Amino acid sequence: MKIPFLDLKKLNKPYESRFQEKFTTFLDSGWYILGNEVRTFEAGFANYCGVKHCIGVGNGLDALTLIFKAYIALGKLQKGDGVLVPANTYIASILAILQAELVPILVEPELETYNIDPLEAEKQRTETTKAILAVHLYGQLSDMVRIHKLAEKYNLLVIEDAAQAHGAVLNGRKAGNWGDAAGFSFYPGKNLGALGDAGAITTNDSELAKILYSLRNYGSEIKYVNDHIGYNSRLDEFQAGILNVKLPDADVEATERKSIVKRYLSEIQNPKIALPYYDFSENHVFHLFVIRTENREALAGYLEEKGIGTLIHYPIPPHQQKALPQFHGLSFPITEKIHREVLSLPLNSTLTTAEVDAIILALNNY
């Protein structure tokens, strides 16, 4: 039995006929950029997240970058301001800060949740710190209640990196409705995935939304009239159509994933393997099921021999990346432990009972 980490073709197969219908409609419309499909998705996803505005953009990185750029345009941030960000995040979170000419302030996460530690964030804050980027890593919401208390105490903007957390809920509020603004990715492997790159920004701030609609489209609201130094980062009309097909099933997909998660958590019993923390609330949608083990290479190799695919999210911490030499002298023991030990197991709605059985058995026999 071969169990791939993720089979996107199999995952999208149930939608094939509807995708083809969408493509025919898209082609026949003669309107291929910022048309009805984008408007429909923006309205639908805003409603799904419980916010006033959704702005479709090219990808998740652009979503975060444009949020920072919009706050600079509004005068709420200035170039050189500091942004608190977890040290163990995917590098895109940090790239967005740098591309907006702001300064990332790396903060150790909580080992239990892998999300930013609000106590450490407060310690790392300086007088030039003006925002906190809460990354909901692997699909689990950050501790937004404590983050908001920190933000209120020091007058910080709260921005969510919700690229992996579509549909996660805390205290009745979904990811994308906790921050002043939030960035989402709809990369094909996400819980809500397009068939290519796609992203969005959610916010309840109408003034911010107005600037973002302009920035994503060359800084223009009226054709050939440019009010800002803008970008070309528009949600593709066809990808929006794909997302419109899949959005109604987003919570169904999450429920199916969680049924597998519950099996993993109750049936994997091996002292060599640390399972992810989960309080069985709605605050985690498990974009990834991430375990830790001291000898990751040995475990990954063993599972490969058993025909079970795994991935590492992520092997090199940002502060050790060649692209970020300004952080090379820093030490983050918790972050480094996480990046040294994590391994992601297959988790998606296409997994059969027999496949889940085989994964659990292999891990218990390791």
Side-chain angles (χ1 to χ4, degrees):
M1 181 185 295
K2 291 285 289 185
I3 307 172
F5 177 75
L6 178 62
D7 185 340
L8 287 174
K9 185 176 179 180
K10 189 176 180 182
L11 193 67
N12 285 306
K13 187 69 176 175
Y15 298 103
E16 187 174 332
S17 62
R18 282 181 283 170
F19 287 169
Q20 290 173 343
E21 290 173 11
K22 276 293 181 185
F23 181 72
T24 299
T25 302
F26 159 75
L27 195 61
D28 290 347
S29 73
W31 193 291
Y32 306 136
I33 293 174
L34 294 183
N36 186 59
E37 292 291 351
V38 170
R39 288 190 294 272
T40 299
F41 178 72
E42 288 175 336
F45 195 65
N47 181 65
Y48 177 77
C49 295
V51 297
K52 292 180 181 177
H53 305 284
C54 170
I55 302 94
V57 296
N59 54 70
L61 173 56
D62 284 358
L64 294 175
T65 304
L66 289 172
I67 290 169
F68 290 123
K69 289 283 190 177
Y71 276 124
I72 289 172
L74 286 170
K76 293 186 178 182
L77 290 175
Q78 296 181 358
K79 293 177 183 179
D81 283 346
V83 181
L84 296 162
V85 60
N88 64 312
T89 186
Y90 180 55
I91 196 171
S93 311
I94 294 166
L95 293 179
I97 298 167
L98 291 170
Q99 288 176 2
E101 298 182 74
L102 301 169
V103 178
I105 302 170
L106 305 187
V107 179
E108 284 273 54
E110 297 173 325
L111 183 59
E112 186 176 59
T113 65
Y114 305 125
N115 285 331
I116 194 167
D117 184 337
L119 289 176
E120 286 298 315
E122 185 166 21
K123 291 177 186 176
Q124 296 300 320
R125 188 202 68 88
T126 69
E127 290 304 311
T128 60
T129 303
K130 302 299 179 184
I132 182 167
L133 181 57
V135 182
H136 307 318
L137 200 62
Y138 307 144
Q140 182 166 217
L141 282 171
S142 301
D143 190 338
M144 297 307 295
V145 173
R146 290 167 67 202
I147 285 170
H148 270 286
K149 287 180 180 177
L150 179 66
E152 289 166 8
K153 184 175 180 180
Y154 297 107
N155 194 28
L156 305 176
L157 291 168
V158 176
I159 297 156
E160 297 174 77
D161 182 341
Q164 301 181 350
H166 318 69
V169 181
L170 176 66
N171 295 346
R173 292 166 64 182
K174 278 187 176 173
N177 191 18
W178 273 98
D180 296 293
F184 284 88
S185 167
F186 306 111
Y187 183 78
K190 303 296 186 187
N191 291 24
L192 177 60
L195 299 185
D197 278 318
I201 298 162
T202 57
T203 185
N204 288 306
D205 185 334
S206 298
E207 186 181 22
L208 180 72
K210 188 173 188 293
I211 297 235
L212 287 165
Y213 283 121
S214 174
L215 286 180
R216 74 168 178 188
N217 189 39
Y218 300 100
S220 173
E221 294 179 59
I222 302 170
K223 195 168 185 178
Y224 304 132
V225 178
N226 302 83
D227 297 324
H228 304 281
I229 302 296
Y231 303 83
N232 177 13
S233 182
R234 302 171 294 208
L235 175 59
D236 183 79
E237 181 74 358
F238 175 64
Q239 298 300 343
I242 296 300
L243 292 169
N244 283 328
V245 170
K246 296 179 78 172
L247 179 58
D249 289 342
D251 290 340
V252 175
E253 168 73 16
T255 298
E256 291 176 353
R257 297 171 83 92
K258 284 182 182 178
S259 68
I260 298 170
V261 166
K262 289 172 183 176
R263 286 202 61 195
Y264 281 164
L265 291 175
S266 65
E267 297 177 41
I268 296 172
Q269 297 179 1
N270 187 325
K272 296 179 181 178
I273 295 168
L275 298 174
Y277 170 77
Y278 181 38
D279 64 4
F280 293 91
S281 72
E282 297 300 310
N283 78 334
H284 202 332
V285 290
F286 282 94
H287 169 56
L288 298 168
F289 189 92
V290 181
I291 61 174
R292 291 198 333 273
T293 187
E294 289 187 3
N295 194 342
R296 175 175 63 202
E297 286 69 25
L299 177 56
Y302 163 81
L303 291 173
E304 185 178 7
E305 290 175 3
K306 298 290 185 182
I308 299 169
T310 60
L311 283 179
I312 301 170
H313 297 87
Y314 304 94
I316 304 172
H319 70 281
Q320 294 177 350
Q321 294 283 1
K322 183 179 179 181
L324 303 175
Q326 63 270 48
F327 302 117
H328 285 182
L330 301 179
S331 173
F332 297 98
I334 296 174
T335 290
E336 290 159 19
K337 177 180 176 66
I338 290 169
H339 286 261
R340 187 171 60 246
E341 297 182 353
V342 291
L343 188 68
S344 300
L345 301 181
L347 177 63
N348 62 81
S349 59
T350 71
L351 289 173
T352 65
T353 299
E355 288 173 331
V356 175
D357 289 344
I359 293 166
I360 293 169
L361 179 63
L363 288 164
N364 285 338
N365 287 339
Y366 173 64

